[in-house]
Structure formats: C-alpha cells, structure tokens
Amino acid sequence: MKKQLILEDGTVLVGTGFGSDTNTIGEVVFNTGMTGYQEILSDPSYCGQIVTLTYPLIGNYGINRDDFESITPAIQGFIVKEAADFPSNWRNELSIQEYFQMKNIPGIAGIDTRKLTRIIRKYGTLKGAICGMEEDVDTVIEKLRATQLRNDQVKQVSTKTPYPSPGRGSRVVLVDFGMKHGILRELNKRNCDVIVVPYHTTAEEIISLSPDGVMLSNGPGDPKDVPEAIEMIKGILGKVPLFGICLGHQLFALACGANTEKMKFGHRGSNHPVKDLATGKVAITSQNHGYTVEDDSIEGTQLEVTHIALNDGTIEGLKHKEVPAFTVQYHPEASPGPEDANYLFDRFLDMIEAEKSEGAELCQNVQI
C-alpha cells in the first residue's frame, strides 16, 4: 500500500506502508546506527517522534524477546529505505512488519533516507506526517504547521507507581523519566537494591526510602518541561550520591543553575565519539537527545565539564565541585558494539561506597 511522508516545509516523499495502516504526526528525526533498531523503536526517549533510520536495510535480524528497552513502545513511526520481509537470525521471533502491526506502529519504506537526512541536517528537525495517498497534501501541511507537539512526554512514559527490583547490595532510587531497561539491568547486574519511582517523586519521598544513591534516567523532550524534577534534584544534592543519564544530565544542569537549549538536529546514533577530559581517552557511545547544556551557562555554577563530544564540542558530562554527583549526556548502559562507557556504573557504586564508609570528603576523591 502506497503512503506518503509529508513534512511541514512542503517536502513530500512517497513510499510503501508497513506495520499499522494508521496515520501519524510527530517530530521527524534521524538515527545513524547500523544496528539496534529494536532498541531504538522501544526506547521511551523517542516518545512523540518519527524516526528515520539512515542504514539502508532494517529488520534483517528480526525482533526477539531480549532486546527491548520498554514494554510498550512510545515511538510515533518509522521511516526506512528497505524493510526486510524475511529476517534471518537464530534469536528471531517476529518480523518488524508483524511487530509493528501488533503494537500499532505505522512505518514507511522505500524512502530516500539520505535525502531526508540531508533536509533535517540543513533545516533542523521538522514536524511530519505518515499518511495515506488519499490525504490532501496542502491540508496536511497546514495541519502540521498548526500542530503544537505535546510537552508531557515524560508523564506519558514514566511509571505511574513505585516498584522494587530487589538486590542485596546498595540501595539505589532510580527516577524514571522514560527509563531504558538497560539502566535497570546494569544496576541489577551489580546486585543493587533498586526502587524505581515516578518522575514527579519529591525529594522528601526519595530521602524517606533511605537510598545509598539516586539515579536520574533518560527520557524524552525538553528538560524545562519537568520543573518538578528540577526542584527534586535541588532537594537531594549533597544528601546522597547522584548519577544522571541523558535527560537526567540536563535536569541536573538546570538544578545547578546552568541552562539547556534545543539542538538543530540532535545526536541519535551508536557511533558518537566522546572524550573524557580527565584521562584523554575517547569512548564510542550511543546517544539519543535533542537538547544540550549550554557551554556559557556553566560559568558561575558549581559544575565542571568532564566529557565533550568530539563531533561538535558539545558538553557530554558534568560533575559537581562540592557534592558527590556526576552525569553524562550519552548512554553508558548501551552496547553500540564496544562497551566503552559501562565503567560509569562502577564509578557510581565506588562513590556510594566512599560516601558510606568515609564520608563526603573521601567521596570527592573518586575520579569522575
């Protein structure tokens, strides 16, 4: 069945629909990863977005039970050059066609994804629609330009009630802003006693759980749309060690007096080089974010930049100068091939142990 992809700038691309036959509207972004489409489509950080995959063949190894980052996908749609009809892999259980139909996700194949990516890189992210050929183009464009994308994505994807993931080790309260399951998996691997709480949990409620550390998860959208989380972070800073990832990193920066801004087209992919300023080492990282911490806003705060992106020089890591807290913009729980950034979870637990055993002074000596 023919479908059309219509962008708010007037661009129209025609392809073949797959998955759900419903129409959809969202922010059109692109991801440069060569693999990992299952993780991408199930990542809650893509809530409200239509994702373009730049790699030309998607679905060739199918869908399996183990690689999901959430139970219910929040993605609005998928744009690919070619969707594989007959996947081949020993773990394969479903084709992407079958999975997209099951989860009511619309997709469009046969699109010149290189052309589409160049448009986004030139003009920035655009609102777009995947719809049937019967839809009038001018009417859809007018609707796109009038549409205000929702700003409650975190509320949509966060857990509604707290729940435990028991372990015998350090107790970590994990604040769910749209948490990838990989974060929970890494904490469980280290035997942490994890309590996952909703995005609007207050500082007082978190402290009442007697945590040894607090983790701020990834999530979708603009960090300034979650003011209650900013206030919560202010309330726990200095009281318990803190580690933030992606949206958690941006919220931490805002809580410490820095500022964030929307990027032209963001970082989305599994091959982004990031430099650790303390060691000089470069890690190949997985990233998915459309906002960044402003360089100039760090001055005058108690924050120190620890990591930078080598592609564009944007801030990729921060630590607090006075209290045990650090964050990264990228995803250390992901495995984009290497597991270069996985050590950050161990650093977090080292910080917790230092805080528990010898107090905050020793904790500051842990290298971030």
Side-chain angles (χ1 to χ4, degrees):
M1 180 186 297
K2 289 292 184 182
K3 282 202 167 185
Q4 52 187 342
L5 170 67
I6 303 174
L7 303 181
E8 62 178 312
D9 70 345
T11 300
V12 180
L13 300 172
V14 176
T16 303
F18 67 95
S20 171
D21 61 1
T22 58
N23 294 341
T24 188
I25 287 178
E27 181 183 37
V28 181
V29 300
F30 66 87
N31 185 297
T32 58
M34 297 177 67
T35 60
Y37 56 80
Q38 182 172 337
E39 293 87 340
I40 292 168
L41 67 91
S42 60
D43 182 349
S45 293
Y46 283 112
C47 179
Q49 296 180 329
I50 301 173
V51 181
T52 305
L53 280 298
T54 62
Y55 191 70
L57 177 62
I58 300 300
N60 52 309
Y61 55 85
I63 299 290
N64 67 77
R65 72 171 193 174
D66 298 324
D67 291 339
F68 292 110
E69 292 293 349
S70 65
I71 295 175
T72 305
I75 198 168
Q76 289 295 106
F78 241 35
I79 304 169
V80 301
K81 173 64 176 175
E82 180 182 352
D85 294 322
F86 303 102
S88 177
N89 185 276
W90 67 275
R91 293 196 302 162
N92 172 53
E93 296 172 347
L94 295 169
S95 68
I96 59 171
Q97 162 72 5
E98 293 168 329
Y99 182 75
F100 277 36
Q101 284 182 325
M102 179 189 304
K103 295 297 184 179
N104 199 36
I105 303 170
I108 186 169
I111 297 296
D112 186 341
T113 51
R114 291 178 299 176
K115 176 181 178 179
L116 178 56
T117 300
R118 291 181 68 179
I119 291 171
I120 297 171
R121 286 182 60 88
K122 183 175 181 180
Y123 298 108
T125 54
L126 297 164
K127 288 177 287 186
I130 298 175
C131 57
M133 297 300 295
E134 72 281 359
E135 300 290 336
D136 179 69
V137 171
D138 291 336
T139 301
V140 173
I141 292 172
E142 184 178 346
K143 182 179 179 180
L144 285 171
R145 292 173 178 171
T147 297
Q148 294 294 320
L149 297 178
R150 295 177 61 172
N151 62 359
D152 64 344
Q153 293 101 324
V154 169
K155 180 179 180 181
Q156 292 180 58
V157 297
S158 176
T159 183
K160 301 300 184 284
T161 57
Y163 62 91
S165 183
R168 296 290 186 181
S170 296
R171 171 167 291 181
V172 175
V173 171
L174 174 51
V175 186
D176 178 11
F177 301 113
M179 173 194 70
K180 290 174 64 182
H181 285 176
I183 296 175
L184 185 58
R185 189 159 48 241
E186 289 299 327
L187 293 173
N188 287 339
K189 187 189 300 182
R190 290 161 175 82
N191 203 29
C192 292
D193 181 30
V194 184
I195 301 175
V196 183
V197 299
Y199 76 98
H200 53 67
T201 306
T202 66
E204 292 76 15
E205 289 169 331
I206 289 175
I207 296 300
S208 72
L209 296 172
S210 302
D212 297 313
V214 173
M215 172 155 281
L216 309 174
S217 86
N218 64 292
D222 185 343
K224 293 177 183 177
D225 290 335
V226 201
E228 54 269 73
I230 298 170
E231 291 305 310
M232 175 272 290
I233 295 168
K234 291 178 180 179
I236 63 173
L237 275 176
K239 298 178 180 177
V240 62
L242 181 146
F243 178 21
I245 293 174
C246 200
L247 182 64
H249 159 83
Q250 297 161 14
L251 290 166
F252 169 72
L254 290 171
C256 293
N259 192 33
T260 56
E261 62 182 345
K262 187 174 175 64
M263 305 173 78
K264 186 175 181 180
F265 49 80
H267 293 173
R268 297 175 180 88
S270 54
N271 53 359
H272 289 258
V274 170
K275 183 177 181 179
D276 184 329
L277 297 180
T279 65
K281 292 183 178 180
V282 175
I284 301 302
T285 69
S286 176
Q287 303 201 12
N288 174 18
H289 61 100
Y291 290 80
T292 188
V293 178
E294 285 185 354
D295 285 347
D296 295 341
S297 71
I298 298 298
E299 187 175 351
T301 71
Q302 291 297 308
L303 297 175
E304 178 182 334
V305 178
T306 60
H307 298 74
I308 60 168
L310 291 184
N311 286 340
D312 60 9
T314 52
I315 294 173
E316 290 285 342
L318 294 168
K319 73 173 181 179
H320 199 284
K321 296 177 182 178
E322 301 293 335
V323 301
F326 72 99
T327 61
V328 290
Q329 180 65 81
Y330 53 95
H331 286 269
E333 82 288 347
S335 303
E339 296 184 342
D340 290 0
N342 203 254
Y343 69 95
L344 291 172
F345 288 94
D346 296 321
R347 282 192 176 178
F348 178 46
L349 293 184
D350 289 343
M351 176 179 281
I352 288 174
E353 289 305 313
E355 181 75 3
K356 285 196 294 185
S357 61
E358 298 185 40
E361 181 178 346
L362 178 59
C363 186
Q364 286 299 304
N365 292 327
V366 176
Q367 183 184 12
I368 302 303

